[in-house]
Amino acid sequence: FVRKILVENAGGPAILDEYKEHGKLTDSARRHLVNIVVAHITDKEGCVPSKETKTRCAWGVVPLFPSLKDPYSRTGYEHFYDPKSNQGYISWRLKTVSRQSKHHGGHHSKKDARASGTSDSEGSGGPTAYRETCNHLELQLEGDQCKKAISFMNHCAEKDLIFEKMKATFKHRQLLIHDAAKSNTVLSVFPRFLDTKGLILQDFDVQFGTETASRLLEQWDSLKPKIIAEARTLTSTLHLTDLLSDAQGNSQDEGSDWQGWDSDMSSILLLAYLLPPSPGARNKSTKIRFREAMDHIVQFHK
C-alpha cells in the first residue's frame, strides 16, 4: 500500500532508492515520506481520514523500511501512528495540513460569517467564532416549524424524539449562541439540555465531527492522572483541595457546603488552575476569580 503510494507520487521513487542504497532514511527523507503519504490520504478522504486508514499507512511503512521500526513499542509503528493515543508523525502532519487549510480559507469564512449575520470573535476561536459544521444536516426547521418543535420537545418524554428535534433545530441554536443579546437564553429555550444526557455531545458531534468529539475521551485515561499530579504542585487553597479530593474520587466531608463534582469533571476544572491566562485578552474584559467563574457553570445532576 505505502510502496504503491510512493511509486505513484513525485519524490517517492527517490525515497525508495535512498533506502535501497543506504539501508536507512535521513530525517528529511522520513519527513518527505510522511508528507507524501498524508497528501495521498487527504486527497482520498480529506483532512480527517479514518483511523483504519492511518493505521494501515503506519503499519505499511515498517515492512517497507525496517530501519524505521521502533524496537521499544509493541508493534513497531506507533511512532508513525498510534490508534490508542491518536498521535504520531501521520497525525501531526494531518494537523499541520488542517491548520494550513483553515488559514488559507480564513478570510472567506469570516466574510461569509458577516454576510450571514453571525458574529465572529475578535480572536480566532471561542464559542462565538464562526465555524462550518462537520456533519451535513439534511433537515433544519425554521420559523413556526422551529417554534413548534421546541415546544414539542419541552413536553416530550420520548428520548429518541427529543434527539431528533434537537438535531433539527441545531442551526437555530447556533443563531442564539452567536447573538450577544440572546446567547444567555439557550438553556431556557432548550431546557432539555439539563435533563437529557447526550444532547450536548450530539451538538458537539454535529459541529466538530465524530473523531474530534471522541478525541478527549480516547486520551482521557492517560491525561487525567497527569492533570491531578500537576495540580498537587500548586499552592494549596480550600477550593483547590476540594477539587483535588473530588478528582481522586474521595468523598466530601458531611456538612460541607461544597456540592462537589464527579471525578472527571473535577479533573477538567483543575485545568483552569494549570492553564495560564491568554496573552491576547482584551483590556476591557473584567477579570474574576476562578471560584466566582465556577458559579456560572451549569451543574448537571444525575
Side-chain angles (χ1 to χ4, degrees):
F1 178 64
V2 174
R3 176 184 287 276
K4 183 180 180 182
I5 293 175
L6 294 175
V7 169
E8 295 178 351
N9 288 273
I15 295 175
L16 293 170
D17 291 342
E18 178 179 327
Y19 190 84
K20 184 177 181 180
E21 181 178 354
H22 302 288
K24 61 181 181 179
L25 292 179
T26 61
D27 288 341
S28 61
R30 188 260 303 156
R31 287 193 294 270
H32 194 193
L33 161 66
V34 173
N35 291 352
I36 291 174
V37 170
V38 168
H40 175 82
I41 61 178
T42 53
D43 183 57
K44 299 294 184 182
E45 299 185 23
C47 290
V48 189
S50 67
K51 182 178 293 186
E52 290 74 18
T53 297
K54 291 181 284 188
T55 302
R56 185 184 180 193
C57 290
W59 177 85
V61 167
V62 172
L64 191 58
F65 304 101
S67 69
L68 296 180
K69 181 178 181 179
D70 181 1
Y72 301 104
S73 65
R74 184 173 60 86
T75 62
Y77 63 75
E78 285 93 339
H79 55 310
F80 279 92
Y81 177 68
D82 182 1
K84 290 185 177 180
S85 64
N86 197 34
Q87 298 295 316
Y89 296 135
I90 292 175
S91 284
W92 299 332
R93 177 58 184 171
L94 282 167
K95 291 177 182 177
T96 299
V97 171
S98 179
R99 283 196 300 268
Q100 291 173 345
S101 176
K102 291 178 181 178
H103 174 72
H104 292 312
H107 297 295
H108 178 70
S109 296
K110 291 181 180 180
K111 181 179 178 181
D112 289 346
R114 288 191 294 268
S116 63
T118 57
S119 63
D120 190 8
S121 63
E122 292 183 12
S124 59
T128 59
Y130 176 79
R131 296 181 176 91
E132 294 287 350
T133 56
C134 286
N135 291 333
H136 177 65
L137 297 173
E138 296 182 357
L139 174 64
Q140 286 296 289
L141 301 177
E142 298 178 352
D144 291 340
Q145 286 187 325
C146 184
K147 292 179 181 179
K148 289 180 181 178
I150 293 173
S151 177
F152 172 81
M153 280 189 292
N154 293 344
H155 301 88
C156 180
E158 296 185 34
K159 189 173 181 179
D160 290 342
L161 289 177
I162 294 173
F163 273 81
E164 178 185 327
K165 297 298 183 182
M166 285 293 281
K167 182 174 286 189
T169 55
F170 175 82
K171 287 190 176 180
H172 176 73
R173 205 154 42 253
Q174 289 298 299
L175 291 176
L176 289 181
I177 292 172
H178 289 85
D179 188 331
K182 299 179 180 179
S183 59
N184 62 346
T185 67
V186 172
L187 291 179
S188 60
V189 176
F190 297 96
R192 302 318 298 262
F193 273 128
L194 299 172
D195 62 10
T196 308
K197 185 177 180 179
L199 290 179
I200 293 178
L201 180 59
Q202 176 176 265
D203 269 21
F204 196 89
D205 189 5
V206 170
Q207 182 71 72
F208 297 102
T210 303
E211 182 169 345
T212 299
S214 62
R215 190 170 298 159
L216 176 61
L217 295 178
E218 291 175 354
Q219 302 181 30
W220 184 242
D221 288 341
S222 61
L223 181 61
K224 180 180 175 181
K226 297 177 183 178
I227 295 173
I228 295 175
E230 286 294 328
R232 286 175 180 162
T233 66
L234 300 175
T235 302
S236 179
T237 65
L238 178 60
H239 183 240
L240 177 60
T241 301
D242 285 335
L243 276 180
L244 274 170
S245 180
D246 284 342
Q248 296 172 91
N250 300 328
S251 59
Q252 298 295 317
D253 296 334
E254 292 186 6
S256 171
D257 59 356
W258 169 247
Q259 293 183 355
W261 304 86
D262 63 26
S263 176
D264 289 335
M265 187 61 195
S266 296
S267 300
I268 292 175
L269 292 174
L270 285 173
L271 282 173
Y273 278 101
L274 298 174
L275 297 177
S278 171
R282 286 167 284 182
N283 294 330
K284 64 181 180 181
S285 60
T286 303
K287 294 183 179 180
I288 60 176
R289 294 183 178 182
F290 176 72
R291 189 66 184 88
E292 295 172 331
M294 281 190 58
D295 292 336
H296 297 277
I297 299 177
V298 177
Q299 185 170 9
F300 294 84
H301 297 279
K302 298 179 180 179

